[in-house]
Amino acid sequence: MTVGSGVLLVLLSLSGALRAHNGELTARETCKAGFSEEDYTALISQNILEGEKVLKVKFSSCLGTKGTHYETDSMDFQVGADGTVFATRELQIPSEQVAFTVTAWDRQTAERWDAAVRLLVAQTSPAHSGHKKGRRSAALDPVQLPNDTLLPWPQHQSSSGLRRQKRDWVIPPINVPENSRGPFPQQLVRIRSDKDSDIPIRYSITGVGADQPPVEVFSIDSMSGRMYVTRPMDREERASYHLRAHAVDMNGNKVENPIDLYIYVIDMNDNRPEFLSQLYNGSVDEGSKPGTYVMTVTASDADDGTTANGMVRYRIVTQTPQSPSQNMFTINSETGDIVTVAAGLDREKVQQYTVIVQATDMEGNLNYGLSNTATAIITVTDVNDNPPEFTASTYAGEVPENRVELVVANLTVMDRDQPHSPNWNAVYRIISGDPSGHFSVRTDPVTNEGMVTVVKAVDYELNRAFMLTVMVSNQAPLASGIQMSFQSTAGVTISVVDINEAPYFPSNHKLIRLEEGVPPGTVLTAFSAAEPDRFMQQAVRYSKLSDPANWLHINATNGQISTAAILDRESLYIKNNVYEATFLAADNGIPPATGTGTLQLYLIDINDNAPELLPKEAQICEKPSPNTINITAADADVDPNIGPYVFELPFVPASVRKNWTITRLNGDYAQLSLRILYLEAGVYDVPIIVTDSGNPPLSNTSIIKVKVCPCDENGDCTTMGAVAAAGLGTGAIVAILICIVILLTMVLLFVVWMRRREKERHTKQLLIDPEDDVRDNILKYDEEGGGEEDQDYDLSQLQQPEAMEHVLSKGPGVRRVDERPVGAEPQYPVRPVVPHPGDIGDFISEGLRAADNDPTAPPYDSLLVFDYEGSGSTAGSVSSLSSSSSGDQNYDYLGDWGPRFKKLADMYGGGEED
């Protein structure tokens, strides 16, 4: 801007309401941590030296500046420990402003707070660049100005007159109270250029709230430069506005540089504190000491938190119930922390407290501040401050001997702590009286009672009673300072009931060893049972329970075992040389008791079985060859009563030793072969004597069937040779083959004959003309159905005629008695007439049923006529013949014909009676 250019003036014209409001808002100091301002603004020169201070931020941490650390997000500016913002290096700022953020954080709590810093650059002329940065370098125009007028472009007095400096003044922020009642529009400032005396100037504003949404919040008179607010402001909606004022001539040419206008909305206390929740739930242990933390309630205020309008304080309004004291809790007025203030919390007396908390802004001033309330439910949680106690000092029970998992006594306890919690759940322990561990005390999960249970069977003959000492405690340990009660122990007396116990065999599964083959009646052993009931005089009797081979006998009185048959080790009832039998011992108690014992007989083998030759059949070539028969023997006995075996041929008949020979291979095997050069094919019975090695040895003569047959070059019997060896000659073989051929031929001829016969039957059926098919023949149906429905009888002739003219046209006189009477008759339902019934049997049945149900149907005084059968006969009617009542004929038989002939019987039979 050149020297002599116009000066833009800003006239401040704040309303009286604003001054009054500023007078009321005298903020009181508070120790709430934070910066004194959210935004800091300062005017700086374009050139800044290193270390030059530009402004100072103020931060309060309630504990002084000790422990507070500052930092910025700018590389050019830093903050000292006292809050002074300084340049880290020499700078030349090309832009109109510099903005960055200052952060303060507490090293102890790690909390952080932020504030914005805006440094506005003032434009200066080169002639005065040596002046100190940020200070006014010229005086005001000597022309007297109003006291609310600011000169953004100050002038300098020199020898040549008034000169204009080349930097702009920063207009101080304009404060506007929110919720103003008007009247609107309300003037805020007046913008004027000193060139308006020379040329007409038009003023305008731009920015959010002017020509940007929300639009038209602020307006300006384009001619006078007066700026107005057009409606009430709401700081909670928007706290500040940044506008720019413009001055142009009538042609739109810029006359002055734009001026930044900062408008701040001054907060008013128009919002109540709001709790984050209307209902808070907290808990505290019973017996807690004063100062114990319980819970925190939090309320927020939409008003400015840096002023008293948004500073919330808390207090407790009421406490319910007020027991044991009306002030059991207190609240931190600033943080909302609720803590205990008095001792005596006891869950068994008061389980829950209801506390009404009030939050008030204006730092808790009840006269000027706005308030809100919330409810805090404080539950007193249980601690184990009540030891469990038995309801009785002694308990009693009884248990039958030899029983387990049986509850013999229930121990009841009382505990005033929270039911079904670890502080209430009882744990029982037997501390004396059960060294062998026969009993255990389990806890009933529902009633918390102790159930004395038998876990190990007791014996009346050893212990007739038990004296137990039981202690009860909780799952959770007792609270500090709480001692166990003497009622936490009790005595339990358990009596053992004697019952009839079953006799038992002391040596159950008794094993004895003896040789097989002992004769019947041999006494083997005494297998007796013991009676455990020493205090009962009882007798025991014995019987067999299982004796598979029925070899043994037991004395019912003393249990002596003897043989009833010969014991055979080779029997099917023997498993691994052992025979097993089971015996029963029963006493005479009430009720009787029985016990079982098992006797095992280990049978020692004797040589009582001769060996048997194997195999029973074999085949060999008719000429000597390497083809021989390997033979061996089988013996039911065991070692040493088996092999080695001796194989030999008998001397009788002599042909055996002549034709055959035996060669010993080893103790168990030998070879049978031909002694002669040729033996005719056939089957030969070769006797062989086999002797075992028992003491004494046993021998057996066994027969082996040997098939002698012709063999091929490989030494195998040929097919014909095998047949020949079986005893069939060539003629027999040929005869068998001829019979087989004849049988196959007969079967083939029979099949051909059956097919031809079936073909002729089908051909004959096709030659029958359907017109020649008579109905008198018996027809074969290949499917269900048929019968009368397939016969085309014309039954229309049997139907009742549609018209009765030939009957009605007859003159008076004698008429047929078998015709329907003509004249007035009772009206009855018309008989159903089947137009064309398909079956004659159904047609007749329908006619009979209709006649039986129709009283007007024939007969009237003659035989029954089923239906009209045509127009009549050429022969005359016999109804015209008169009947003589004086004849000798007897009509009494008409009475036996049924109800339909009753009238006829009355007419004729009655006449004779007269």
Side-chain angles (χ1 to χ4, degrees):
M1 183 178 291
T2 60
V3 178
S5 61
V7 178
L8 182 64
L9 303 179
V10 179
L11 306 179
L12 301 180
S13 178
L14 299 180
S15 64
L18 174 60
R19 298 189 183 94
H21 176 73
N22 289 336
E24 293 176 359
L25 295 180
T26 303
R28 299 190 305 180
E29 293 185 357
T30 177
C31 64
K32 184 175 182 180
F35 286 97
S36 60
E37 299 290 342
E38 293 182 358
D39 297 320
Y40 290 91
T41 304
L43 183 66
I44 63 174
S45 63
Q46 190 173 12
N47 298 315
I48 300 179
L49 299 176
E50 181 180 356
E52 183 176 351
K53 300 178 181 180
V54 294
L55 61 87
K56 184 176 182 180
V57 296
K58 183 180 180 181
F59 178 80
S60 174
S61 63
C62 299
L63 299 176
T65 59
K66 184 179 180 180
T68 303
H69 178 70
Y70 299 96
E71 61 185 23
T72 68
D73 58 358
S74 174
M75 300 295 295
D76 300 328
F77 297 94
Q78 292 296 328
V79 184
D82 59 348
T84 301
V85 181
F86 59 91
T88 60
R89 58 189 177 89
E90 186 175 355
L91 299 173
Q92 184 175 4
I93 301 174
S95 60
E96 297 181 354
Q97 69 174 6
V98 177
F100 54 89
T101 302
V102 175
T103 302
W105 60 281
D106 194 326
R107 295 179 179 178
Q108 296 179 354
T109 62
E111 291 186 89
R112 304 175 71 92
W113 297 267
D114 295 332
V117 175
R118 288 193 300 271
L119 303 179
L120 304 179
V121 180
Q123 300 295 330
T124 60
S125 62
H128 299 84
S129 60
H131 290 250
K132 188 177 180 179
K133 309 300 185 287
R135 182 182 298 176
R136 295 184 184 182
S137 58
L140 290 176
D141 193 323
V143 179
Q144 184 67 29
L145 297 176
N147 55 6
D148 56 355
T149 300
L150 297 177
L151 293 177
W153 296 277
Q155 299 173 342
H156 294 268
Q157 190 72 29
S158 64
S159 59
S160 59
L162 185 64
R163 293 180 60 95
R164 178 79 176 272
Q165 189 180 8
K166 271 195 172 181
R167 68 175 184 176
D168 298 339
W169 281 69
V170 177
I171 305 302
I174 303 172
N175 296 324
V176 180
E178 66 172 335
N179 303 326
S180 175
R181 297 183 180 181
F184 295 101
Q186 182 178 0
Q187 182 177 339
L188 297 180
V189 296
R190 180 186 179 189
I191 300 173
R192 186 176 65 85
S193 173
D194 59 353
K195 292 183 180 181
D196 60 357
S197 59
D198 300 331
I199 58 174
I201 295 178
R202 299 181 63 88
Y203 303 96
S204 63
I205 56 175
T206 59
V208 176
D211 59 346
Q212 299 178 19
V215 297
E216 297 183 354
V217 176
F218 303 97
S219 63
I220 190 171
D221 189 325
S222 61
M223 300 305 296
S224 63
R226 289 186 175 87
M227 191 174 72
Y228 301 91
V229 59
T230 60
R231 60 189 183 195
M233 308 296 289
D234 188 355
R235 193 202 67 86
E236 287 71 39
E237 180 180 346
R238 189 175 183 89
S240 63
Y241 296 86
H242 178 198
L243 303 178
R244 304 201 77 181
H246 305 271
V248 297
D249 59 14
M250 292 303 176
N251 295 325
N253 298 320
K254 183 174 68 172
V255 177
E256 302 287 356
N257 291 329
I259 296 178
D260 291 317
L261 300 177
Y262 292 94
I263 302 174
Y264 292 99
V265 183
I266 301 176
D267 182 50
M268 296 183 65
N269 191 18
D270 57 346
N271 291 279
R272 292 180 180 274
E274 294 292 338
F275 282 94
L276 300 182
S277 174
Q278 285 299 311
L279 183 65
Y280 291 85
N281 289 284
S283 62
V284 61
D285 291 340
E286 61 175 331
S288 296
K289 297 179 180 179
T292 302
Y293 172 81
V294 179
M295 62 193 301
T296 300
V297 296
T298 304
S300 60
D301 198 313
D303 293 325
D304 188 359
T306 62
T307 67
N309 297 334
M311 296 181 180
V312 180
R313 298 294 182 264
Y314 303 92
R315 74 185 188 96
I316 293 178
V317 180
T318 59
Q319 167 197 308
T320 306
Q322 298 181 357
S323 173
S325 171
Q326 63 180 358
N327 295 319
M328 295 296 297
F329 306 95
T330 185
I331 188 170
N332 188 304
S333 62
E334 295 185 2
T335 63
D337 294 340
I338 299 178
V339 297
T340 59
V341 71
L345 291 174
D346 191 350
R347 191 204 64 86
E348 287 72 37
K349 296 180 180 179
V350 179
Q351 299 183 3
Q352 183 175 282
Y353 289 90
T354 300
V355 176
I356 305 299
V357 179
Q358 184 183 61
T360 306
D361 57 16
M362 297 299 292
E363 298 183 284
N365 191 322
L366 299 178
N367 296 325
Y368 303 102
L370 302 177
S371 301
N372 212 337
T373 60
T375 302
I377 303 298
I378 302 175
T379 302
V380 181
T381 56
D382 183 49
V383 297
N384 195 12
D385 57 346
N386 294 283
E389 297 178 349
F390 285 103
T391 58
S393 59
T394 58
Y395 297 88
E398 63 179 18
V399 55
E401 62 176 337
N402 302 323
R403 293 281 300 275
V404 294
E405 298 300 325
L406 181 69
V407 178
V408 298
N410 289 326
L411 313 181
T412 56
V413 296
M414 180 185 63
D415 196 319
R416 292 186 295 273
D417 289 321
Q418 178 70 40
H420 305 289
S421 68
N423 300 329
W424 179 82
N425 295 334
V427 178
Y428 299 88
R429 182 167 57 93
I430 298 175
I431 59 178
S432 65
D434 186 22
S436 300
H438 291 283
F439 303 94
S440 173
V441 185
R442 302 168 182 173
T443 304
D444 189 317
V446 178
T447 63
N448 212 28
E449 294 181 354
M451 300 178 294
V452 182
T453 307
V454 183
V455 296
K456 182 179 178 181
V458 297
D459 190 352
Y460 177 82
E461 285 70 29
L462 298 178
N463 299 97
R464 298 188 182 184
F466 292 87
M467 299 293 294
L468 308 180
T469 302
V470 180
M471 174 181 288
V472 61
S473 59
N474 293 122
Q475 290 181 351
L478 290 175
S480 177
I482 304 299
Q483 300 296 328
M484 290 292 295
S485 171
F486 71 93
Q487 294 181 346
S488 297
T489 58
V492 182
T493 302
I494 300 177
S495 302
V496 182
V497 179
D498 188 19
I499 62 173
N500 184 25
E501 298 178 79
Y504 66 95
F505 291 89
S507 57
N508 203 354
H509 282 72
K510 184 176 183 181
L511 178 66
I512 60 175
R513 302 172 62 92
L514 72 158
E515 288 187 348
E516 64 173 330
V518 296
T522 303
V523 177
L524 302 181
T525 183
F527 196 37
S528 59
E531 175 59 56
D533 295 318
R534 293 177 296 173
F535 301 100
M536 299 182 183
Q537 300 297 327
Q538 295 178 343
V540 180
R541 297 189 63 82
Y542 303 91
S543 61
K544 286 195 302 183
L545 186 62
S546 173
D547 184 11
N550 202 23
W551 286 346
L552 303 177
H553 172 75
I554 187 169
N555 188 296
T557 304
N558 56 19
Q560 189 178 65
I561 305 293
S562 60
T563 60
I566 297 177
L567 306 182
D568 185 7
R569 193 200 64 83
E570 291 75 31
S571 171
L572 297 176
Y573 301 105
I574 300 296
K575 304 296 181 183
N576 298 324
N577 300 329
V578 175
Y579 179 74
E580 190 171 274
T582 305
F583 299 93
L584 188 69
D587 60 18
N588 59 351
I590 301 176
T594 59
T596 58
T598 301
L599 178 66
Q600 293 179 332
L601 302 180
Y602 186 89
L603 299 181
I604 302 173
D605 183 48
I606 64 175
N607 194 17
D608 57 347
N609 293 278
E612 294 288 337
L613 186 67
L614 294 175
K616 299 296 184 182
E617 295 181 356
Q619 65 181 16
I620 195 172
C621 295
E622 58 186 2
K623 294 181 181 182
S625 66
N627 187 9
T628 59
I629 301 173
N630 292 328
I631 59 176
T632 185
D635 198 326
D637 294 323
V638 296
D639 190 60
N641 298 319
I642 51 175
Y645 301 103
V646 177
F647 302 92
E648 56 184 347
L649 296 174
F651 292 95
V652 178
S655 60
V656 175
R657 283 181 172 264
K658 177 183 177 180
N659 298 332
W660 306 92
T661 181
I662 292 180
T663 303
R664 180 185 177 90
L665 296 179
N666 54 35
D668 296 331
Y669 290 91
Q671 284 184 345
L672 178 65
S673 60
L674 286 175
R675 179 184 293 273
I676 60 178
L677 298 178
Y678 173 79
L679 185 63
E680 184 181 357
V683 179
Y684 297 87
D685 291 337
V686 181
I688 298 176
I689 301 173
V690 184
T691 305
D692 61 19
S693 300
N695 187 19
L698 294 181
S699 299
N700 182 29
T701 301
S702 299
I703 304 297
I704 179 174
K705 289 184 177 294
V706 181
K707 293 180 181 180
V708 180
C709 60
C711 297
D712 54 16
E713 61 274 9
N714 296 324
D716 298 328
C717 285
T718 62
T719 303
M720 296 300 294
V723 175
L728 296 177
T730 305
I733 295 173
V734 173
I736 292 174
L737 294 176
I738 292 173
C739 290
I740 293 174
V741 171
I742 293 173
L743 181 61
L744 292 176
T745 304
M746 293 179 63
V747 172
L748 181 60
L749 291 175
F750 178 76
V751 172
V752 172
W753 178 78
M754 288 296 296
R755 289 185 176 180
R756 184 174 181 180
R757 185 173 180 274
E758 185 70 20
K759 183 177 181 181
E760 291 177 354
R761 185 174 61 182
H762 284 290
T763 305
K764 184 178 180 181
Q765 290 180 356
L766 294 174
L767 295 177
I768 298 176
D769 190 357
E771 297 296 335
D772 298 333
D773 187 13
V774 294
R775 297 293 175 165
D776 294 336
N777 294 333
I778 299 176
L779 301 180
K780 176 180 178 297
Y781 287 88
D782 291 335
E783 60 183 9
E784 295 184 2
E788 293 299 333
E789 294 183 358
D790 295 338
Q791 302 180 16
D792 300 332
Y793 287 131
D794 184 10
L795 303 180
S796 61
Q797 297 297 325
L798 300 179
Q799 303 298 321
Q800 184 173 352
E802 298 293 338
M804 300 292 293
E805 289 82 359
H806 67 285
V807 178
L808 298 177
S809 61
K810 298 179 64 174
V814 180
R815 60 190 298 269
R816 294 174 55 180
V817 296
D818 59 347
E819 294 178 354
R820 186 185 183 101
V822 179
E825 295 178 355
Q827 298 298 321
Y828 294 95
V830 180
R831 292 172 53 188
V833 178
V834 179
H836 297 285
D839 186 73
I840 187 65
D842 295 338
F843 173 78
I844 294 174
S845 299
E846 182 65 26
L848 287 174
R849 187 161 49 253
D852 291 338
N853 296 328
D854 188 1
T856 63
Y860 304 102
D861 56 356
S862 64
L863 296 176
L864 175 65
V865 179
F866 281 97
D867 210 336
Y868 181 75
E869 294 184 333
S871 58
S873 175
T874 56
S877 175
V878 296
S879 10
S880 59
L881 298 178
S882 60
S883 300
S884 175
S885 62
S886 60
D888 298 329
Q889 187 175 359
N890 185 9
Y891 296 100
D892 293 339
Y893 62 88
L894 296 175
D896 301 330
W897 285 15
R900 286 193 172 275
F901 295 92
K902 184 176 184 302
K903 184 174 181 63
L904 191 61
D906 293 341
M907 292 174 59
Y908 288 90
E912 290 186 358
E913 290 177 1
D914 293 336

